[in-house]
Amino acid sequence: MTNAQITLVQIDNYGPWTVTPEPRREVDLQTLQSRLYADLSQLIGNRQGYVFFTRFDNMVAVTNGLSMDDHALVQESVANRYPVTVSLGVATGTSPVQALADATEQLQDAGSAQDKSRREILRGRTIDEEFRTDDDIQIAHFDVNDMTGNFTDEVNAFDSFIHIEQGYAELMKYMREAHDSLSFFVGGDNVIAVCPELDEAEYEDAIRHVRETVEVELKVGVGNGRVPQDAGMAAKHALETCRADGSNVEFQ
Amino acid sequence: MTNAQITLVQIDNYGPWTVTPEPRREVDLQTLQSRLYADLSQLIGNRQGYVFFTRFDNMVAVTNGLSMDDHALVQESVANRYPVTVSLGVATGTSPVQALADATEQLQDAGSAQDKSRREILRGRTIDEEFRTDDDIQIAHFDVNDMTGNFTDEVNAFDSFIHIEQGYAELMKYMREAHDSLSFFVGGDNVIAVCPELDEAEYEDAIRHVRETVEVELKVGVGNGRVPQDAGMAAKHALETCRADGSNVEFQ
Amino acid sequence: MTNAQITLVQIDNYGPWTVTPEPRREVDLQTLQSRLYADLSQLIGNRQGYVFFTRFDNMVAVTNGLSMDDHALVQESVANRYPVTVSLGVATGTSPVQALADATEQLQDAGSAQDKSRREILRGRTIDEEFRTDDDIQIAHFDVNDMTGNFTDEVNAFDSFIHIEQGYAELMKYMREAHDSLSFFVGGDNVIAVCPELDEAEYEDAIRHVRETVEVELKVGVGNGRVPQDAGMAAKHALETCRADGSNVEFQ
Amino acid sequence: MTNAQITLVQIDNYGPWTVTPEPRREVDLQTLQSRLYADLSQLIGNRQGYVFFTRFDNMVAVTNGLSMDDHALVQESVANRYPVTVSLGVATGTSPVQALADATEQLQDAGSAQDKSRREILRGRTIDEEFRTDDDIQIAHFDVNDMTGNFTDEVNAFDSFIHIEQGYAELMKYMREAHDSLSFFVGGDNVIAVCPELDEAEYEDAIRHVRETVEVELKVGVGNGRVPQDAGMAAKHALETCRADGSNVEFQ
Ligand SMILES: Nc1nc2c(ncn2[C@@H]2O[C@H](COP(=O)(O)OP(=O)(O)OP(=O)(O)O)[C@@H](O)[C@H]2O)c(=O)[nH]1
Ligand SMILES: Nc1nc2c(ncn2[C@@H]2O[C@H](COP(=O)(O)OP(=O)(O)OP(=O)(O)O)[C@@H](O)[C@H]2O)c(=O)[nH]1
Ligand SMILES: Nc1nc2c(ncn2[C@@H]2O[C@H](COP(=O)(O)OP(=O)(O)OP(=O)(O)O)[C@@H](O)[C@H]2O)c(=O)[nH]1
Ligand SMILES: Nc1nc2c(ncn2[C@@H]2O[C@H](COP(=O)(O)OP(=O)(O)OP(=O)(O)O)[C@@H](O)[C@H]2O)c(=O)[nH]1
Ligand SMILES: [Ca+2]
Ligand SMILES: [Ca+2]
Ligand SMILES: [Ca+2]
Ligand SMILES: [Ca+2]
C-alpha cells in the first residue's frame, strides 16, 4: 500500500501583494514565480522529493523523506531570499488526494490565504521513520504519443498546445475522480501523477478515457519507491520501455 | 487595428536531450525549464515584451518593439548560459493566431523540432518602425472572481486547481476559435490573452461561454499599447476597475 | 576624452538585515548576493552596461547609455523580486574615480548605508544624449600570463589564488592612484578596469609596477566605445591579439 | 583536533570556452559564474556544507557530511543545467591547507584544467562516518570594525573597497602561512576562514598583524562543529558577542 506524504506550499497573501501599492510588472511576477518554483525544486529535490508548479501561488510537493525540520529550513531559505514568504501544510495517507486535502486543511485552519497576519505557517505531520516502506510512493509518467511528428512539426504552436491542454484537463479530472490521483503538467507533452496503488487495468482505463473523450493518445510508465525521486526515475525508465516496445502501460 | 508581433521560442531537440544518455532527473529538468523561462521573461521583458511559458519547450512571446538583432542577442545569451539552445521564429499580423501560425512555419520549414542538426534558427520579420502604432497590441487580463473565498480557503488545493484548469482549458479554446486570440495561464487564477481588436460584447461573450460551459466566473480588464508591457499594464489597471466597480469587462 | 557614467549600487541597510532577528544562514546570504549580482548583470548588461560585484553590498556599474528611467526600472525590478532594496547614485566625468566619488556622495548625502529610513534612493545625472561620443568609455581587460601552466596545474588551489589576489590588490591600488582607474576582479585570473584615456606607456607602466612589486605577469587588451559593452568586447579582442602575438599591451 | 573535508570545484576547460568561437559577452560570463556559485551554495549548503567563490572558475568547498555520492549528484545537477561541467577533487586532513593541496592534486593528476578531454573528474575520499567528531571544523568569521561609519558613509566606494581588499589580501596570506588556514572574502567587509585548531592568541596575532601591516581593524568570531553550517553559525554568534562586548576575539 502506498503512503504519500504531501505538502501544500502556499505563498502568503500573494494576491494583494501583486497589486500593492499598484499592479506590479507582469514580467517580474513571472520571474519571481518561476524562480521560486525552481528553487523549491532544488530544495525539495535535493532531499529526493518532487514539487509541481500547479498554480505557482499554490504548489504541491511529494515529500516522503523530508522531516518537519527539513520543511522549516525550506521555509527559512525562501524567506531569506524572496520578498514573499510561504506557508506549508503537510499530511500523509494512502490516497494522495486525501493527503492533499488534509494538508490543505492545515493551512485553511490557520487562516485565509489572503490574511495579512497569517504568515509562515508550518503545520502537519510526516511519516514516522519506522512506518516508511519501499512502496510508499507510486508515480506515473504520462506522455503523448509522437507529439512532435503529429503536432509540433505540423500545426501551429497554439493548436499543439490546445491538444496537450485538453488531454491534461481531462486526465487530471479523471485520475482525481476515478483513481484518487494527483496529476500535474510538467512541460512538453508530459504529465506526472502521484497515485495510490493502481494496477495496469486502471492505467489502461485512464488512457482509454482520455482517448475516447478528447482524442489524445497517451502512454504511461509507472514506478514505485520509498522516495519520490526513486519512484519517478523508475517511471521514466518504464516510459522508455513503452517507447522501445510500443506498449501503452509499463511498470518498472 | 492591432498588429501583433509574435515569436515562437522552441528549445532545440529537447525531447531526446531529456533522455540522453539516460532519463535526466526530473527536478533538474524542472529547474532548467523554469529558469530558462524566468530568464526569457527578463530578457524580453526588459525590452517591453511579454513571454508565456506555455509548454516550456515551446514558449510564445509577444515582441513588438524587439528587432531581429534583439532576438539574436536573446538567442546568444541563452546559448551562453544553458546546456540547450533555442530557435526563434518571428511573424506579425492583425490576428495573433495567424501570426503565431506564421512564426511556427518559419521553424517547421527549417526542420523538425527534434532534428539534431536544426539548431539556433532565427527567422522571420518584425514590424517596420514606420508602421508601428499605439494600438498594435491588445491584451486582456482574465481573473476568476473571488477564487480565494470560494475555493482556495474552502476546498482542497487540487480541486481548486481543477476548477481553474477547466476554466482555462475552455477559455483558451473558445478565444482561439471564436476570437483568434492566444490565451495563456500565468499562475494563480489569472489568464492573459493576446487579442485582435475585440470589443466589449466579444469579451462578454467569452465570459458567458465559460460560465455556461464549466461554471467558472471570470472578469477581464483590457488594455492597448504600442508594446506588450503598456497594453498589459493598462489591462491590469482595468482589472482593478472591475474589482472596484464589481463589473465584468473594463477597457482602460 | 572619455566620459564615464558610473552608478553605485548599494543594498539598503544590509548589514543589520543579515543579523535580524538572528544571524541568517551564510549559504542563503551568498545565494542572495550572487543572484542579485547576476540579475543586475542581465538588467544592466541588456542595456549595454557593465556591473562589477566589488563588495556585493556595494556594486559598481558603468552605465553609459542607461537613462535615469532605466535606472528606476532596475531598482523596481529588484524590489519586486528580492527581500532587500537597492539605492542608486549616478555621476559622470572624465575620471572614472571622480565619477564614482560623485556617485557615492549622492548616496552619502541621502543618509547612512545603514539608516533604516534611507531606502531606494535614486539620484544623480546621466550624460545628455547630445554630448555622448564613441570614445566615452575606455575599458582595459587584464589577464595573468599562462596562469594554468604555471599555477592552476602546478600548485595548490589556494596558493594559485593568493598569487592572483596579490596581483589584483596591487593593480587595483596602483591603477587608482597613478591612473584614476577603477579595476575589478572578474573571476579566473582576469581584471577589468574602467579607465580615463590612457596610452600604451601608461599600461606598460602598470604592468611593470605589478611585475616588480608582486611578481605577477600581466597582459592587457584595451578597447574604446560609446557603451561599455562595445569597449569591453573590443578589449577582449585586443587581448586575443596579445595571446596571438605574445605582446603585453594591445589596443583595438 | 580538526579534520576538514575540502573539495576543489573546477570548471572544466573554462578558459578556452570563454573565447570559443569568439570572446563571449562578459555580462553572460558574469551571470553564468555567479549563478553557478549560487547553485553550488544551495546544493552544498543544503547538505550543511559551505562553498566559497574564490576565483569562480576554481571554487573551494568545505564538505564535511557530504559523501562521494552527494558529490556525484552535485556534479550531475550542474551538467544538467549549465553549458559547462565541473570536476571535483576531495581530500581531508587536520590542516585545511594540506587538505586543499591534496584535493588539488587529485585533479592535477587527472590532467590539465584546460585539457579538453578531462571532464567531470570525481576523485578523492571523504571522512569515514566513524571518525567524524563534533570538532572536525573550526570556522572563523572576520569582520572590519565600523566599516560603515569610517568608510562606506565617508569615502568614495572604491577607496572603501581598496581598504577591505588590502585587509583581505594581507589576512589571507598571513593566515595561510602562519596558521595553515584558508580565508575567503564573502562580501561586504567579511572574511570567513577555515582553520585548524587555533587558540585565542593565534587569532589575536593575526588581527595584530593585519592592523600593523595595512591598518585594517578586525574582529573575529570563532565556532566549531561537526559540519560547516554549525561551525559557521557558531562563529556568527560569537561575532555578535564581539559586537555586544566590544571585544576582538570570541569563541562560541
Ligand atoms: N518534464 C519532462 N518533459 C519531458 C521529458 N521527456 C520529454 N519531455 C518533453 O516532451 C516533449 C516531447 O518530447 P517526446 O515526448 O520525446 O517527443 P514525441 O514526439 O512525443 O515522441 P514520443 O513520446 O517518443 O512518441 C519534449 O520537448 C519535452 O518538453 C521528461 O522526462 N520530463
Ligand atoms: N500572474 C499574475 N497573477 C496574479 C496577479 N494578481 C493576482 N494573481 C494571482 O491570483 C491569485 C488570486 O488572487 P486574487 O485574484 O487577488 O484573489 P481572489 O480571491 O480571486 O479575489 P478577486 O479576484 O478580487 O475576486 C493570487 O494568489 C495570484 O497567484 C497578477 O497581476 N499576475
Ligand atoms: N571573466 C572572464 N574570465 C575569463 C575570460 N577569459 C578567461 N577567463 C578566466 O581566466 C581563467 C584562465 O584562463 P586563461 O587566461 O585562458 O588561461 P591561461 O592559462 O592564463 O592562459 P593565457 O592567458 O592564454 O596565458 C579561466 O578559467 C577563466 O576563469 C573572460 O573573458 N572573462
Ligand atoms: N557574507 C556576510 N556578509 C555580512 C554579514 N554580516 C554583515 N555582512 C556584510 O558586512 C557589511 C557591513 O556590515 P556590518 O559589518 O554590520 O557594518 P559595520 O559598519 O562594519 O559595523 P560593525 O561590524 O558592527 O562595526 C554588510 O553590508 C554586509 O555586506 C554576514 O553574516 N555574512
Ligand atoms: Ca511524447
Ligand atoms: Ca481572482
Ligand atoms: Ca590568463
Ligand atoms: Ca563590520
Side-chain angles (χ1 to χ4, degrees), chain A residues 11 14-16 18-19 23-24 26 29-30 33 55-58 114, chain B residues 141 143-149 186-190 192 219 236 239 243:
Chain A
I11 306 182
Y14 184 55
T18 63
V19 291
R24 294 180 195 252
E26 186 63 31
L29 297 181
Q30 293 301 314
Q33 292 175 2
R55 289 170 53 175
F56 284 102
D57 62 346
N58 285 260
Q114 296 196 354
Chain B
H141 197 128
D143 173 284
V144 177
N145 291 336
D146 198 14
M147 185 68 207
T148 313
V186 292
D189 60 352
N190 283 211
I192 293 180
K219 57 181 162 296
K236 286 192 178 211
L239 187 65
R243 283 204 171 95

Side-chain angles (χ1 to χ4, degrees), chain A residues 11 14 17-18 23-39 53-57 59 82-84, chain B residues 30-31 33-46 49-56 59-61 139-142 168 183-193 229 232-233 236, chain C residues 39 77 80-81:
Chain A
I11 306 182
Y14 184 55
W17 183 87
T18 63
R24 294 180 195 252
R25 296 173 70 236
E26 186 63 31
V27 291
D28 285 343
L29 297 181
Q30 293 301 314
T31 305
L32 169 72
Q33 292 175 2
S34 48
R35 288 209 181 144
L36 176 56
Y37 170 62
D39 271 351
F53 57 81
T54 329
R55 289 170 53 175
F56 284 102
D57 62 346
M59 296 182 258
Y82 286 89
V84 294
Chain B
Q30 293 300 313
T31 306
Q33 293 175 2
S34 47
R35 287 207 182 146
L36 176 56
Y37 171 61
D39 272 350
L40 290 171
S41 273
Q42 290 294 311
L43 283 164
I44 292 173
N46 273 310
Y50 264 32
V51 56
F52 302 100
F53 57 81
T54 328
R55 290 168 54 173
F56 284 101
M59 295 182 259
V60 177
I139 278 183
H141 197 128
F142 290 90
Y168 173 51
S183 309
F184 302 95
F185 176 58
V186 292
D189 60 352
N190 283 211
V191 172
I192 293 180
Q229 158 71 16
M233 192 49 88
K236 286 192 178 211
Chain C
D39 272 350
S77 188
N80 277 343
R81 295 186 284 123

Side-chain angles (χ1 to χ4, degrees), chain A residues 143 146-148 188-190 219 236 243, chain B residues 18 26 57 114:
Chain A
D143 173 283
D146 197 14
M147 184 68 206
T148 311
D189 61 351
N190 282 212
K219 57 183 164 292
K236 287 192 176 209
R243 284 206 171 93
Chain B
T18 63
E26 187 62 29
D57 62 346
Q114 297 198 354

Side-chain angles (χ1 to χ4, degrees), chain D residues 53-221:
Chain D
F53 57 81
T54 329
R55 290 170 52 176
F56 283 102
D57 63 346
N58 285 261
M59 296 181 258
V60 177
V62 197
T63 55
N64 295 59
L66 277 82
S67 65
M68 288 310 278
D69 279 355
D70 290 331
H71 280 81
L73 192 135
V74 168
Q75 195 173 47
E76 179 189 331
S77 188
V78 169
N80 277 343
R81 296 187 283 123
Y82 285 89
V84 294
T85 55
V86 293
S87 285
L88 305 174
V90 191
T92 68
T94 50
S95 152
V97 169
Q98 187 55 47
L100 177 57
D102 294 346
T104 307
E105 264 182 38
Q106 300 281 354
L107 297 192
Q108 288 168 342
D109 288 354
S112 168
Q114 296 198 355
D115 177 341
K116 244 183 123 134
S117 58
R118 201 217 69 181
R119 281 180 49 131
E120 294 202 284
I121 304 302
L122 173 56
R123 290 202 188 166
R125 53 191 305 279
T126 58
I127 307 171
D128 280 346
E129 203 53 38
E130 56 186 315
F131 296 120
R132 295 181 56 202
T133 75
D134 287 352
D135 290 313
D136 279 350
I137 306 286
Q138 181 167 115
I139 277 183
H141 197 129
F142 290 90
D143 174 282
V144 177
N145 292 336
D146 197 15
M147 185 68 206
T148 311
N150 292 332
F151 288 86
T152 313
D153 289 350
E154 295 303 319
V155 307
N156 80 60
F158 202 76
D159 289 340
S160 288
F161 183 48
I162 287 180
H163 183 73
I164 292 168
E165 262 296 322
Q166 304 301 313
Y168 173 51
E170 198 58 41
L171 180 68
M172 79 181 301
K173 212 172 138 190
Y174 190 75
M175 288 294 287
R176 185 254 179 272
E177 284 165 8
H179 300 302
D180 272 345
S181 302
L182 304 169
S183 308
F184 303 94
F185 177 58
V186 292
D189 61 351
N190 283 210
V191 172
I192 294 180
V194 187
C195 308
E197 196 157 312
L198 301 184
D199 61 23
E200 195 171 327
E202 290 165 301
Y203 286 110
E204 297 277 14
D205 166 63
I207 287 178
R208 188 182 330 110
H209 174 84
V210 174
R211 181 174 47 233
E212 288 172 0
T213 321
V214 288
E215 291 177 42
V216 177
E217 298 278 347
L218 299 169
K219 56 181 164 293
V220 65

Side-chain angles (χ1 to χ4, degrees), chain C residues 24 26 28 30-31 37 42 55 104 108 112-114 148 152-153 155 157 159 165 176 186 188 236-237, chain D residues 22 24 26 28 30-31 37 42 55 104 108 112-114 148 152-153 155 157 159 165 176 186 188 236:
Chain C
R24 295 180 195 252
E26 186 62 31
D28 285 342
Q30 293 301 314
T31 305
Y37 170 62
Q42 290 295 312
R55 289 169 53 174
T104 308
Q108 287 168 344
S112 168
Q114 297 198 354
T148 312
T152 314
D153 289 350
V155 308
D159 290 340
E165 263 294 323
R176 185 254 178 272
V186 292
K236 287 192 177 212
H237 280 111
Chain D
E22 282 200 84
R24 294 180 195 253
E26 187 62 30
D28 284 342
Q30 293 301 314
T31 305
Y37 170 62
Q42 290 295 311
R55 290 170 52 176
T104 307
Q108 288 168 342
S112 168
Q114 296 198 355
T148 311
T152 313
D153 289 350
V155 307
D159 289 340
E165 262 296 322
R176 185 254 179 272
V186 292
K236 286 192 177 211

